[in-house]
Amino acid sequence: MNVFWLLLVAGLLAFGQMLLFKRAGLRGVAVDRRFTKARVFAGESLEMIETIENRRILPVPWLRIETRMPTELLFGRQENLEIGGQRYHRSVFFLGAWQRVRRTHQVRAMHRGYYALSSYAMTVGDLLGVSQSSVERPMNCALVVYPRLLSREEIGLPATRWQGEAIVRRFINPDLFLYSGIRDYRPGDLPRDIHWRASARTGRLEVKQHDFTAASRLVVLLNVVARETQWDEADEADRAVVEQGIRLAASLMCYAIQDGLEVGFGSNGCAKPAEGETVYLAPAAGLQQSEILLEACARLVIRRVLPFHVFLERLVLPADADVVIVSGYENDLLRQQVERLRARGNSATVLPVGKEAAAG
């Protein structure tokens, strides 16, 4: 008889705690996941910080959090961490009343890309694991991985080629708002250039010596199709060729900006999240433009929106821009567009990439 009552009481307690935790569910449980860096280069490491907080007096016996993770993000330590097929990040917790847990995971970005973690699933259970409650919640966590840059030696055709052309243009394009010093007046100098304070100090006419600015612009155009005979989706070998082209384009643009040029970028592929539109960024200078170009390369999807020769035909470029075309092949249609650019006054250079380059 005593055993019967003992079992009855145990059953009632089990049923009561099940109802209690099921009713409480995930109310008061907050989860935050974020990366310590928003942007990194491929091959670099960073941390993912995971914070779980129980904002109620009732404890959470066990809590499981699952997030779909890209395979390109490699986790280091596997302590209390499960990755099923390297696709789901899973963490299990016990949370006491008003408790906050913070975990740090080492992550290495293996490949360029734009990785957005948009949601996570939470499952909570009672003390005996009899019942479970699950919910999916949105999450705003993203990582931009830039392509790994090549060295100037690896590029093979240095950006200083276009810098040299810019120096030549400086000689014929004086900037009326910049001057590097003063000199003696010479016949033909404009009255507005006279430096009156210097003239009064020296007792003879002195004029401002104007500096020269570069008007050169560089536009790098990337073909996301690796082979002339490629009509369907790119296979692994083709993707390797295009990835090498992306690295080449990104490196060339960064070094050109470092050398003081205005740089733009275009591609017949598309970029996340606008998957369906070709890419074009007008030339500009400065560190901010370098970051914009790198992010465009990171977000680029290897999927053709337009045939490359059609993309070139529709593209309207500045008349004074130097054009560099990065492509896995060169055919008659491409050569025709190159000649059209040259006829408009643009200089145009085709930089080839291939399987041999990609293997290196």
Side-chain angles (χ1 to χ4, degrees):
M1 191 67 179
N2 291 334
V3 174
F4 170 78
W5 287 109
L6 183 61
L7 292 175
L8 180 60
V9 171
L12 291 175
L13 290 175
F15 183 72
Q17 65 87 30
M18 180 190 70
L19 291 179
L20 176 63
F21 285 106
K22 186 174 183 179
R23 184 172 182 178
L26 289 162
R27 285 180 296 179
V29 179
V31 176
D32 177 63
R33 276 180 174 170
R34 61 183 178 86
F35 294 107
T36 52
K37 301 176 182 178
R39 293 165 177 81
V40 296
F41 284 92
E44 291 185 351
S45 297
L46 67 156
E47 294 179 342
M48 186 182 77
I49 298 178
E50 185 176 39
T51 304
I52 300 90
E53 185 176 4
N54 181 20
R55 301 171 179 172
R56 65 189 191 190
I57 194 171
L58 186 68
V60 180
W62 67 268
L63 173 68
R64 183 175 68 239
I65 303 174
E66 296 175 303
T67 308
R68 187 179 180 87
M69 286 286 179
T71 58
E72 293 84 359
L73 301 182
L74 183 64
F75 285 83
R77 299 176 60 185
Q78 301 296 308
E79 180 182 351
N80 198 28
L81 177 67
E82 298 178 8
I83 304 178
Q86 289 192 341
R87 290 189 180 275
Y88 286 92
H89 176 279
R90 179 178 301 166
S91 297
V92 181
F93 302 88
F94 166 80
L95 295 174
W98 314 108
Q99 184 181 6
R100 174 185 293 176
V101 176
R102 186 175 185 268
R103 287 179 179 172
T104 301
H105 304 284
Q106 298 295 325
V107 182
R108 186 178 182 188
M110 303 301 296
H111 192 274
R112 64 133 200 124
Y114 174 73
Y115 306 107
L117 310 182
S118 57
S119 65
Y120 62 92
M122 288 198 305
T123 303
V124 65
D126 58 20
L127 290 169
L128 302 178
V130 177
S131 66
Q132 298 181 4
S133 298
S134 298
V135 66
E136 186 171 343
R137 291 180 177 175
M139 176 173 55
N140 185 18
C141 183
L143 177 66
V144 177
V145 182
Y146 298 151
R148 186 171 62 87
L149 298 183
L150 302 169
S151 66
R152 290 181 183 260
E153 293 73 20
E154 289 176 302
I155 291 177
L157 190 61
T160 50
R161 165 177 175 173
W162 292 278
Q163 184 190 38
E165 295 180 2
I167 292 174
V168 173
R169 291 174 184 169
R170 285 177 182 161
F171 181 73
I172 61 174
N173 290 297
D175 192 315
L176 299 179
F177 300 97
L178 298 176
Y179 67 93
S180 56
I182 58 175
R183 59 172 175 80
D184 291 339
Y185 174 84
R186 292 197 295 260
D189 288 335
L190 297 176
R192 68 184 180 190
D193 290 337
I194 297 175
H195 197 298
W196 294 107
R197 289 186 180 179
S199 299
R201 186 172 60 251
T202 61
R204 59 180 184 275
L205 285 179
E206 303 282 351
V207 296
K208 301 174 183 178
Q209 175 68 50
H210 288 287
D211 204 346
F212 300 90
T213 57
S216 183
R217 298 174 181 176
L218 176 65
V219 178
V220 179
L221 303 176
L222 174 72
N223 186 3
V224 296
V225 179
R227 293 177 289 111
E228 183 180 2
T229 57
Q230 178 187 328
W231 299 105
D232 52 0
E233 293 293 330
D235 58 22
E236 184 176 352
D238 293 334
R239 295 182 68 86
V241 171
V242 179
E243 289 293 346
Q244 183 70 4
I246 293 173
R247 291 182 60 197
L248 175 60
S251 305
L252 181 59
M253 291 188 294
C254 286
Y255 293 138
I257 285 181
Q258 289 177 13
D259 292 336
L261 276 71
E262 296 182 6
V263 182
F265 175 64
S267 176
N268 62 330
C270 53
K272 297 179 180 178
E275 299 187 27
E277 302 177 6
T278 56
V279 178
Y280 179 70
L281 298 171
L287 178 60
Q288 183 178 6
Q289 177 71 356
S290 180
E291 294 174 350
I292 292 173
L293 295 172
L294 283 172
E295 181 151 347
C297 290
R299 292 173 176 262
L300 193 65
V301 179
I302 303 178
R303 184 168 62 246
R304 175 179 58 190
V305 177
L306 289 174
F308 193 58
H309 68 278
V310 177
F311 170 72
L312 293 178
E313 185 177 7
R314 296 181 180 179
L315 197 60
V316 179
L317 296 174
D320 61 344
D322 298 324
V323 181
V324 176
I325 296 173
V326 179
S327 177
Y329 67 89
E330 185 176 358
N331 59 8
D332 291 339
L333 292 173
L334 176 56
R335 283 187 283 269
Q336 290 175 9
Q337 293 304 317
V338 170
E339 291 304 320
R340 184 183 67 85
L341 288 171
R342 290 170 179 168
R344 292 182 64 250
N346 301 106
S347 71
T349 304
V350 179
L351 296 186
V353 290
K355 295 181 180 179
E356 294 79 8

